[in-house]
Structure formats: C-alpha cells, structure tokens
Amino acid sequence: MRRRTITRRGKALRWAAVLALVTALTAYRYDFSPEGAWRSQAEGLGTGAVQVLWELESPKLEGTENCRVTLLGSDRALLLSATRFTWHSGWAEGAAVAVDCSGPAPLHGGWWLVGTPGAAWPEQLCYGYGRVEDPAVVRAEFRIFDQGAGKVLQTISVPKEQWKPIDGKPYFVVTARPEGWEGAVGPLWVELTGYDAAGAVLDRRTVGDISAVTAF
C-alpha cells in the first residue's frame, strides 16, 4: 500500500483548522469585557438591569492588581462593582455591594470597606457612594461612629463641587483611608447625612456596619 504523503499546504490547513477550533473555544469561555461579570453581580444582588455610571480608579492595595471598580445603577438601585482581569479567562466578577434606591429619600448611598482581611486599618480603603434626589441637598457626609466608645472616629465630607451629573441626577463617590480607627471598641457604624445650604440636616441614615473587610 502506498503511503499517503501530506504536503506542506495540507499541514498548514490542518494547523489552521486546529487554531480556529482553539480560538473558538477560547472565545466561548473568555470574557473580553466586564459586562458579563456585572450582569452576574446584578443578578446575585437582585438589583435588576443596571448601566455603567462611573469608572473609578483602581485601588492600590495588596491583592487588587488588575482590578477595576465601577459604579453602576438604575432608577431603583446602585451597584458598586469590582471586577478582575486575567490573561487566561478575561474579566471575572469580584466582590460587589448594592443599595436599594426605590424608596423616596433626599439621597441614597452606601459604604464599602475593602482591602486585605487582617491587615491594619490604614492599609484598607473606604468607598462612599450615592445619588442625590433632592436638589436642596448641597453636601453629603459620611461619619464612622464607634458605638462602644460613643464617638465619631472619622468624618468624610463630599461637597456639591465633587458630584458628577449623570442623566440629570448628581452622583458622588469618595475614597479615603481609615484614620483614627486604631483602638476602636466597636461595633463601627457608618452614617450618611445630607445637608442643605444653611447646614440643616435633610436626611440622616445608617448605610453600613464595618464588621469585616471585603476582599476583592
């Protein structure tokens, strides 16, 4: 029997077919954008469909390499999302937090403490975020309160000049390192307050308790 000889052209065609198959399988499993991760996070947190509002600077923390932080939202919810890019699988979902904005209020907001669990407080990062519903609100303020010690540990103010108008509504995001938290008795609570131009309180609510650090 005559042995079949494979020409160079035949080899090239075979390798092209293999490469096309590998590329197709990779594309099927590979997320070229973080949209799929956002959808999974929104579904898991029950926010419904959300759209990108604000791309934030990636945190400079241990374990957050190639991470992306994004504020997404709709009329009824806000979603602060962390996603991570890896060369072998593309964009994957990380941690995320959400705020229900469906009820009437002068402003809605949330709080997120991220970083390396077990590390010292200054090595963590705080995210305060929200949306202003009442035009009379001109300043938002986050206060970290030590319930055990009965005192405020840190105050983070977000004046109107730092807000970002999106689709006719102002949004705000602020990042800060924990300061003065060492020796806190706890539990620690976060209050969000909205002030008018005269300094009067229009809204004050608890938006989070700091029981643990969220790892990306």
Side-chain angles (χ1 to χ4, degrees), residues 151-190:
K151 65 178 182 179
V152 175
L153 299 179
Q154 188 175 2
T155 301
I156 302 169
S157 185
V158 195
K160 190 175 184 178
E161 292 74 22
Q162 296 180 16
W163 301 352
K164 182 178 181 179
I166 304 172
D167 295 335
K169 287 189 176 182
Y171 292 79
F172 56 88
V173 179
V174 63
T175 58
R177 296 279 185 169
E179 294 181 0
W181 296 19
E182 293 81 0
V185 178
L188 307 185
W189 297 91
V190 183

Coordinates of all heavy atoms in Angstrom, one line a residue, residues 151-190:
K151 N -18.3 57.6 70.1 CA -17.7 58.8 69.5 C -17.5 58.6 68.0 O -17.6 57.4 67.5 CB -16.3 59.1 70.1 CG -15.3 58.0 69.9 CD -14.0 58.4 70.5 CE -12.9 57.3 70.2 NZ -11.6 57.7 70.8
V152 N -17.4 59.7 67.3 CA -17.1 59.6 65.8 C -15.6 59.5 65.6 O -14.8 60.2 66.1 CB -17.6 60.9 65.2 CG1 -17.2 60.9 63.7 CG2 -19.1 61.0 65.3
L153 N -15.2 58.5 64.8 CA -13.8 58.2 64.5 C -13.3 59.0 63.4 O -12.2 59.5 63.3 CB -13.6 56.7 64.2 CG -14.0 55.7 65.3 CD1 -13.7 54.3 64.8 CD2 -13.2 56.0 66.6
Q154 N -14.2 59.2 62.4 CA -13.7 59.9 61.1 C -14.9 60.5 60.4 O -16.0 59.8 60.4 CB -13.0 58.9 60.2 CG -12.3 59.5 59.0 CD -11.5 58.5 58.2 OE1 -11.5 57.3 58.5 NE2 -10.9 59.0 57.2
T155 N -14.7 61.6 59.8 CA -15.8 62.3 59.0 C -15.2 62.6 57.7 O -14.2 63.1 57.5 CB -16.2 63.6 59.7 OG1 -16.7 63.4 61.0 CG2 -17.3 64.3 58.9
I156 N -16.0 62.2 56.6 CA -15.6 62.3 55.2 C -16.7 63.1 54.5 O -17.8 62.6 54.4 CB -15.4 61.0 54.5 CG1 -14.3 60.2 55.3 CG2 -15.0 61.2 53.1 CD1 -14.2 58.7 54.9
S157 N -16.4 64.3 54.1 CA -17.4 65.2 53.5 C -17.3 65.2 52.0 O -16.2 65.1 51.4 CB -17.2 66.6 54.0 OG -18.2 67.5 53.5
V158 N -18.4 65.2 51.3 CA -18.5 65.2 49.9 C -19.3 66.4 49.4 O -20.5 66.3 49.3 CB -19.1 63.9 49.3 CG1 -18.7 63.8 47.8 CG2 -18.6 62.7 50.1
P159 N -18.7 67.6 49.2 CA -19.4 68.8 48.8 C -19.9 68.7 47.4 O -19.5 67.8 46.6 CB -18.4 69.9 48.9 CG -17.1 69.2 48.7 CD -17.2 67.8 49.3
K160 N -20.9 69.5 47.0 CA -21.5 69.5 45.7 C -20.5 69.6 44.6 O -20.7 69.1 43.5 CB -22.5 70.7 45.6 CG -23.4 70.6 44.4 CD -24.5 71.7 44.5 CE -25.5 71.7 43.4 NZ -26.5 72.7 43.5
E161 N -19.4 70.3 44.8 CA -18.4 70.5 43.8 C -17.8 69.2 43.3 O -17.2 69.1 42.2 CB -17.3 71.5 44.3 CG -17.7 72.9 44.5 CD -18.6 73.1 45.7 OE1 -18.5 72.2 46.6 OE2 -19.3 74.1 45.8
Q162 N -17.9 68.2 44.1 CA -17.3 66.9 43.8 C -18.3 65.9 43.2 O -17.9 64.8 42.9 CB -16.7 66.2 45.1 CG -15.5 67.0 45.6 CD -14.9 66.4 46.9 OE1 -15.2 65.2 47.2 NE2 -14.1 67.1 47.6
W163 N -19.5 66.3 43.1 CA -20.5 65.4 42.5 C -20.4 65.4 41.0 O -19.8 66.3 40.4 CB -21.9 65.9 42.9 CG -22.2 66.0 44.3 CD1 -21.4 65.5 45.3 CD2 -23.3 66.6 45.0 NE1 -21.9 65.8 46.6 CE2 -23.1 66.4 46.4 CE3 -24.5 67.2 44.5 CZ2 -24.1 66.9 47.3 CZ3 -25.4 67.6 45.4 CH2 -25.2 67.5 46.8
K164 N -21.0 64.4 40.4 CA -20.9 64.2 38.9 C -22.3 64.1 38.4 O -23.0 63.1 38.7 CB -20.1 63.0 38.6 CG -19.9 62.7 37.1 CD -19.0 61.5 36.9 CE -18.8 61.2 35.4 NZ -17.9 60.0 35.2
P165 N -22.8 65.0 37.5 CA -24.1 64.9 37.0 C -24.2 63.8 35.9 O -23.3 63.8 34.9 CB -24.4 66.3 36.4 CG -23.0 66.8 36.1 CD -22.1 66.3 37.1
I166 N -25.1 62.9 36.0 CA -25.3 61.8 35.0 C -26.8 61.7 34.8 O -27.5 61.4 35.7 CB -24.7 60.5 35.5 CG1 -23.2 60.6 35.9 CG2 -24.9 59.4 34.5 CD1 -22.6 59.4 36.6
D167 N -27.2 61.8 33.5 CA -28.6 61.7 33.1 C -29.5 62.5 34.0 O -30.6 62.1 34.4 CB -29.0 60.2 33.2 CG -28.3 59.4 32.2 OD1 -27.9 59.9 31.2 OD2 -28.2 58.1 32.4
G168 N -29.0 63.7 34.3 CA -29.9 64.7 35.1 C -29.9 64.5 36.6 O -30.6 65.3 37.2
K169 N -29.1 63.6 37.1 CA -29.0 63.4 38.6 C -27.6 63.4 39.0 O -26.7 62.9 38.3 CB -29.7 62.1 39.0 CG -31.2 62.1 38.9 CD -31.8 60.9 39.6 CE -33.4 61.0 39.5 NZ -34.0 59.8 40.2
P170 N -27.3 64.0 40.2 CA -25.9 64.1 40.7 C -25.6 62.8 41.5 O -26.3 62.4 42.3 CB -25.9 65.3 41.6 CG -27.3 65.5 42.0 CD -28.2 64.9 40.9
Y171 N -24.4 62.3 41.2 CA -23.8 61.1 41.9 C -22.5 61.5 42.5 O -21.9 62.5 42.1 CB -23.6 60.0 40.9 CG -24.8 59.4 40.3 CD1 -25.5 60.0 39.2 CD2 -25.3 58.2 40.7 CE1 -26.6 59.4 38.7 CE2 -26.4 57.6 40.2 CZ -27.1 58.2 39.1 OH -28.2 57.7 38.6
F172 N -22.2 60.8 43.6 CA -20.9 61.0 44.2 C -20.2 59.7 44.6 O -20.9 58.8 45.0 CB -21.1 61.9 45.5 CG -22.1 61.4 46.5 CD1 -21.7 60.6 47.5 CD2 -23.4 61.8 46.4 CE1 -22.6 60.1 48.5 CE2 -24.3 61.4 47.4 CZ -23.9 60.5 48.4
V173 N -18.9 59.8 44.5 CA -18.1 58.7 45.0 C -16.9 59.3 45.7 O -16.3 60.2 45.2 CB -17.6 57.7 43.9 CG1 -16.7 56.6 44.5 CG2 -18.8 57.1 43.2
V174 N -16.6 58.8 46.9 CA -15.4 59.3 47.6 C -14.6 58.1 48.1 O -15.2 57.1 48.5 CB -15.8 60.2 48.8 CG1 -16.6 59.5 49.8 CG2 -14.6 60.9 49.4
T175 N -13.3 58.2 48.1 CA -12.4 57.2 48.6 C -11.5 57.8 49.7 O -11.1 58.9 49.6 CB -11.5 56.5 47.5 OG1 -10.7 57.5 46.9 CG2 -12.4 55.8 46.5
A176 N -11.3 57.0 50.7 CA -10.5 57.5 51.8 C -9.9 56.3 52.6 O -10.4 55.2 52.6 CB -11.3 58.4 52.8
R177 N -8.7 56.6 53.2 CA -8.1 55.6 54.1 C -8.7 55.8 55.5 O -9.0 56.9 55.9 CB -6.6 55.8 54.1 CG -5.9 55.6 52.8 CD -5.6 54.1 52.5 NE -4.9 53.9 51.3 CZ -4.3 52.8 50.9 NH1 -4.5 51.7 51.7 NH2 -3.7 52.7 49.8
P178 N -8.8 54.7 56.2 CA -9.3 54.8 57.6 C -8.2 55.6 58.4 O -7.0 55.3 58.3 CB -9.3 53.3 58.1 CG -9.5 52.5 56.8 CD -8.7 53.2 55.8
E179 N -8.7 56.5 59.2 CA -7.8 57.3 60.0 C -8.4 57.4 61.4 O -9.6 57.7 61.6 CB -7.6 58.7 59.4 CG -6.9 58.8 58.1 CD -6.7 60.2 57.6 OE1 -7.2 61.1 58.3 OE2 -6.1 60.4 56.5
G180 N -7.6 57.1 62.4 CA -8.1 57.2 63.8 C -8.9 56.1 64.3 O -9.6 56.2 65.3
W181 N -8.9 54.9 63.5 CA -9.7 53.8 63.9 C -9.0 52.9 64.9 O -9.6 52.0 65.5 CB -10.1 53.0 62.7 CG -11.0 53.7 61.7 CD1 -11.1 55.0 61.6 CD2 -11.7 53.1 60.7 NE1 -12.0 55.3 60.5 CE2 -12.3 54.1 59.9 CE3 -11.9 51.8 60.3 CZ2 -13.2 53.9 58.8 CZ3 -12.8 51.5 59.2 CH2 -13.4 52.6 58.5
E182 N -7.7 53.0 65.1 CA -7.0 52.1 66.0 C -7.5 52.3 67.4 O -7.8 53.3 67.9 CB -5.5 52.5 65.9 CG -4.8 52.2 64.6 CD -5.0 53.3 63.6 OE1 -5.7 54.2 63.9 OE2 -4.5 53.1 62.5
G183 N -7.7 51.1 68.0 CA -8.2 51.1 69.4 C -9.7 51.3 69.5 O -10.2 51.4 70.6
A184 N -10.4 51.2 68.4 CA -11.8 51.3 68.4 C -12.4 50.2 69.2 O -12.0 49.0 69.1 CB -12.4 51.4 67.0
V185 N -13.5 50.4 70.0 CA -14.2 49.4 70.8 C -15.1 48.6 69.9 O -15.2 47.4 70.0 CB -14.9 50.0 71.9 CG1 -15.7 49.0 72.7 CG2 -13.9 50.8 72.8
G186 N -15.9 49.3 69.0 CA -16.8 48.7 68.1 C -18.1 48.4 68.8 O -18.3 48.5 70.0
P187 N -19.1 48.0 68.1 CA -19.1 47.9 66.6 C -19.1 49.3 66.0 O -19.4 50.3 66.6 CB -20.4 47.2 66.3 CG -21.3 47.5 67.4 CD -20.5 47.6 68.6
L188 N -18.6 49.3 64.7 CA -18.5 50.5 64.0 C -19.6 50.7 63.0 O -19.9 49.7 62.2 CB -17.1 50.6 63.2 CG -15.9 50.3 64.0 CD1 -14.6 50.5 63.2 CD2 -15.8 51.2 65.2
W189 N -20.2 51.8 63.0 CA -21.3 52.1 62.1 C -21.0 53.3 61.2 O -20.2 54.2 61.5 CB -22.6 52.4 62.9 CG -23.1 51.3 63.7 CD1 -22.8 51.1 65.0 CD2 -24.0 50.3 63.3 NE1 -23.4 49.9 65.4 CE2 -24.1 49.4 64.4 CE3 -24.6 50.0 62.1 CZ2 -24.9 48.3 64.4 CZ3 -25.4 48.8 62.1 CH2 -25.6 48.0 63.2
V190 N -21.6 53.3 60.0 CA -21.4 54.4 59.0 C -22.7 55.1 58.8 O -23.7 54.5 58.5 CB -20.9 53.9 57.7 CG1 -20.6 55.1 56.8 CG2 -19.6 53.1 57.9

